[in-house]
Amino acid sequence: MPQVRMYGVMDSLTLGVPVLKKPTHRVYDGFTTTKGTDFRVRVTNSVNMSEAKFECDWKLQRCLMFNSQVQHKISTFKGSSPSPSVLTSRMARHILAEMMEIGWDKVDTIDETFQELTLKLHDTVGRKHSLLLNLNHQKEATEMCTVNLPIPTDFIINQDEQVSLQDLMNQFRNMVKRCEDFWEMMSEIDQNTWVLEPEKPSPSDCHRRLALGPSASLHIKVDAAQPRLLPQCSFLGADQVVAPSRERLNQNVHKWDVHCSLLENLQTVLETTLPSPKNSSREKFNLECGICYSYRLGEEIPDKVCDDRCCEQTFHHQCLCEWLRVLPSSRQSFNRIYGECPFCSKPITVKIDVSV
């Protein structure tokens, strides 16, 4: 932590760690104590002192105006107050002491006002996880901690005491540990199957849509707290294509073994080896919508398939709904639209979502 002494006016000036680092730019933000009073100060462009900029409270500015040594050292002087902040000198010292206690290697980022702090840790296989802390005292305790985990994250925070970063880090570490088996199961799925969605799974995503064939897929939703249990399963595609897989799942559900991995169990109950990068090409499953001629429509991918065996064209649900609505020959009954496939003119049905 840098010590800057400005003779004749201020006692030693103690600034926090550099909150912004660039090859030619650095920012220090902290406090100085002068005549028993704490003042907020900020030094920017401190790599090159001839171009440094000094910001402080107007009261401290008035004192510094009489000091020629300070004026000589800092050529560019801006006397406006730093941006408003609820941070106090006491809070800053507490936060710095807490960060030293948990170790600087656990500190990922700090914003310029000490309002946001990101802590990091790695799990047993080296995956990085981040804990974002909002230290604004006006925030509710439930809004203080932000993480990207697949389980409920109820941090225990005593509002009557100062926040302990070490305690929050310990709670975060325990949460990450509870998720490790889940991430292992999902990692095996991601590496050995064609995951149609989400396109780039995050650590908190508990669902996957797996390719079964050119016009069939399996959507699973896994319980992150118990990832080895049978997940929620739903089949998407032409009924004559997915019906056999659905039947095999129902017949073999008793074979599910919680001591085996999620992928191994899925392939056991479905009596098949799921398509993977080892035995197939992704283009085989990235089928375009037969109406908009694109694969992805926002977050939606084609999930409706014509039931005719000679067609089996795929469509976005939204595209097919809009197509059938404008056809004079289509009809609606309750929450379904009945019409003709845009490709083969065979009967096709689509369920209407409430949002459509």
Side-chain angles (χ1 to χ4, degrees), residues 65-78:
M65 291 286 287
F66 296 99
N67 191 296
S68 59
Q69 295 182 8
V70 173
Q71 291 295 325
H72 177 72
K73 289 289 185 182
I74 306 175
S75 59
T76 305
F77 181 90
K78 182 179 178 181

Side-chain angles (χ1 to χ4, degrees), residues 180-308:
E180 289 197 14
D181 193 38
F182 165 79
W183 287 320
E184 286 299 313
M185 297 297 101
M186 303 309 279
S187 178
E188 184 183 20
I189 290 284
D190 295 338
Q191 294 174 15
N192 296 281
T193 68
W194 283 121
V195 178
L196 301 181
E197 59 177 349
E199 188 173 6
K200 295 181 179 179
S202 75
S204 60
D205 286 326
C206 295
H207 69 98
R208 297 289 191 274
R209 182 178 172 184
L210 312 178
L212 295 178
S215 58
S217 59
L218 169 65
H219 184 272
I220 61 172
K221 186 175 182 181
V222 182
D223 183 353
Q226 302 179 88
R228 294 178 182 268
L229 296 184
L230 177 67
Q232 297 180 21
C233 297
S234 58
F235 294 88
L236 303 172
D239 189 64
Q240 69 271 11
V241 177
V242 300
S245 295
R246 186 185 298 115
E247 185 177 350
R248 284 194 293 270
L249 173 63
N250 293 333
Q251 291 178 346
N252 297 327
V253 67
H254 65 281
K255 296 181 181 180
W256 194 276
D257 185 355
V258 294
H259 298 98
C260 297
S261 70
L262 179 60
L263 177 59
E264 183 179 353
N265 274 316
L266 285 174
Q267 295 186 142
T268 297
V269 297
L270 294 176
E271 297 180 355
T272 187
T273 299
L274 295 176
S276 75
K278 299 178 181 178
N279 56 34
S280 58
S281 171
R282 186 180 181 88
E283 286 71 22
K284 180 180 179 181
F285 310 105
N286 285 358
L287 299 183
E288 294 180 347
C289 171
I291 296 175
C292 70
Y293 298 106
S294 63
Y295 176 68
R296 189 167 293 278
L297 180 65
E299 296 298 322
E300 184 183 357
I301 63 176
D303 59 358
K304 180 61 182 176
V305 184
C306 177
D307 288 334
D308 187 87

Side-chain angles (χ1 to χ4, degrees), residues 105-137:
D105 60 315
K106 300 298 191 299
V107 179
D108 201 7
T109 61
I110 314 170
D111 83 330
E112 298 184 10
T113 62
F114 270 49
Q115 293 299 292
E116 288 189 351
L117 168 66
T118 304
L119 304 178
K120 63 181 179 180
L121 63 79
H122 294 83
D123 58 26
T124 54
V125 297
R127 289 180 291 254
K128 178 182 175 181
H129 306 280
S130 298
L131 168 61
L132 174 62
L133 299 174
N134 190 317
L135 302 177
N136 189 329
H137 76 284

Side-chain angles (χ1 to χ4, degrees), residues 126-161:
R127 289 180 291 254
K128 178 182 175 181
H129 306 280
S130 298
L131 168 61
L132 174 62
L133 299 174
N134 190 317
L135 302 177
N136 189 329
H137 76 284
Q138 296 177 345
K139 291 281 187 180
E140 296 291 336
T142 55
E143 301 175 344
M144 179 178 293
C145 303
T146 303
V147 295
N148 191 17
L149 299 178
I151 61 174
T153 54
D154 298 324
F155 285 86
I156 301 175
I157 300 175
N158 191 340
Q159 294 182 319
D160 298 329
E161 301 177 0

Side-chain angles (χ1 to χ4, degrees), residues 59 81 149 295 351:
K59 295 180 181 179
S81 300
L149 299 178
Y295 176 68
K351 186 177 180 180

Side-chain angles (χ1 to χ4, degrees), residues 1-2 12 29 54 63 158 206 288 300 309:
M1 194 178 303
S12 63
D29 197 302
F54 186 81
C63 295
N158 191 340
C206 295
E288 294 180 347
E300 184 183 357
R309 290 182 181 274

Side-chain angles (χ1 to χ4, degrees), residues 22-36:
K22 294 182 180 179
T24 59
H25 187 73
R26 182 171 295 175
V27 177
Y28 287 97
D29 197 302
F31 292 86
T32 182
T33 302
T34 303
K35 298 180 180 179

